[in-house]
Amino acid sequence: MIVCELRGDGSKGGFLQYGYEGKTFLTFDKETLTWVASEPQAQIIQRKWDAIPGYNQRHKVYLEEECIEWIKKYLSYRKEALLRTEPPVVTMSSRKKEVEDGMETHVCRLHGFYPREIEASWTRDGEVWLQDTLRGSVAPNADGTFHAWLSIQIDPKERGRYRCHVEHDSLQEPLDVALEEPKSSLGIIIGCVVAGLVLLGVIVVGILVFFKRRQDDYKKAATSEEGSNRSSLGSNQTA
């Protein structure tokens, strides 16, 4: 395992370590330029590597210089992504559960946020509420942002006590989104019926307009033909 570190104050750190069967075997001390054997079996390799001229110095140079340069290069590549923030779009959906206890299920959906780290929870009277809650894992979107969801089952009489609480780096202040009223199936049916009647009315009006135009066109054609016949008759009488 090779670890190199560039701290915020400009100082550097890092280490080089070998393991064997889940245990630390050899560790490189870059300050003393020596290897530390964690197991007796590692002492043979320790003495061998410490005796190679310049071998340990090359490891120190790699940890403090070459590896640090790679970190700086990768950070420059990732600068735009690291500074990027996209706030979550929070939507709420609800439905009344078809069970005897009449509990409601509400789902808080978080979409389009970046970076990935986000804190979302249900609160009751301002306190985090874990009872009867479920949550999905944070998953990526095609554009590089992320989405997640969390649900809760509640007594509809206490709906006003609950909120979906969201904290994210892109938000200046946390969001607290109230629950929505569950959509009534009767309301949906009535809406569909009204929409159907409106559509039927549009169709009927269209048919009436069509036949009215046909009637007007027929009258115009008949009038034109009658006038033409009279003109022809007048010409024959003159002759």
Side-chain angles (χ1 to χ4, degrees):
M1 180 166 52
I2 302 175
V3 176
C4 50
E5 181 181 10
L6 178 61
R7 303 186 183 96
D9 59 1
S11 61
K12 305 171 184 178
F15 64 87
L16 173 58
Q17 186 180 86
Y18 286 89
Y20 181 73
E21 293 186 345
K23 297 180 180 180
T24 302
F25 193 68
L26 277 169
T27 303
F28 177 64
D29 186 341
K30 65 184 182 67
E31 302 304 325
T32 62
L33 295 179
T34 58
W35 291 90
V36 178
S38 302
E39 298 288 335
Q41 296 86 344
Q43 293 177 0
I44 298 175
I45 300 177
Q46 172 200 0
R47 290 192 292 267
K48 179 180 179 180
W49 287 354
D50 285 345
I52 301 175
Y55 183 72
N56 292 346
Q57 181 64 35
R58 288 198 298 272
H59 287 300
K60 180 180 176 68
V61 171
Y62 177 80
L63 290 174
E64 295 185 349
E65 297 181 19
E66 185 176 347
C67 189
I68 297 299
E69 290 302 316
W70 278 107
I71 289 180
K72 293 179 179 179
K73 184 177 294 186
Y74 287 134
L75 285 176
S76 67
Y77 294 158
R78 295 280 295 173
K79 182 177 181 180
E80 182 177 352
L82 291 172
L83 297 177
R84 175 189 178 189
T85 58
E86 297 289 345
V89 177
V90 183
T91 57
M92 200 79 71
S93 62
S94 59
R95 62 182 177 85
K96 191 165 185 178
K97 198 172 182 182
E98 299 296 332
V99 291
E100 294 181 359
D101 57 12
M103 297 287 283
E104 290 178 351
T105 298
H106 295 262
V107 182
C108 180
R109 303 184 186 279
L110 318 170
H111 186 77
F113 57 88
Y114 189 91
R116 185 181 189 277
E117 292 72 23
I118 193 169
E119 292 290 336
S121 60
W122 289 106
T123 61
R124 173 174 167 171
D125 299 330
E127 300 293 332
V128 175
W129 188 258
L130 300 178
Q131 184 176 334
D132 298 320
T133 63
L134 294 173
R135 67 173 59 241
S137 59
V138 177
N141 296 317
D143 61 356
T145 60
F146 297 88
H147 67 271
W149 63 269
L150 58 158
S151 67
I152 190 172
Q153 287 186 352
I154 65 167
D155 184 337
K157 297 178 182 178
E158 299 183 341
R159 188 183 304 124
R161 303 175 65 183
Y162 294 88
R163 297 288 187 276
C164 181
H165 182 80
V166 182
E167 297 182 17
H168 190 256
D169 288 344
S170 62
L171 300 173
Q172 294 183 354
E173 296 181 356
L175 295 177
D176 286 288
V177 184
L179 302 184
E180 292 184 349
E181 293 285 341
K183 295 181 180 179
S184 170
S185 57
L186 178 60
I188 296 176
I189 294 175
I190 293 175
C192 293
V193 171
V194 171
L197 292 175
V198 171
L199 179 60
L200 180 61
V202 172
I203 294 174
V204 171
V205 171
I207 293 174
L208 292 177
V209 170
F210 174 76
F211 280 109
K212 180 67 168 60
R213 288 181 177 178
R214 289 293 300 273
Q215 187 177 11
D216 292 343
D217 292 342
Y218 177 78
K219 288 181 179 180
K220 290 180 181 179
T223 302
S224 176
E225 183 178 354
E226 182 179 355
S228 177
N229 290 338
R230 288 179 180 177
S231 177
S232 299
L233 179 60
S235 299
N236 291 337
Q237 290 176 351
T238 304

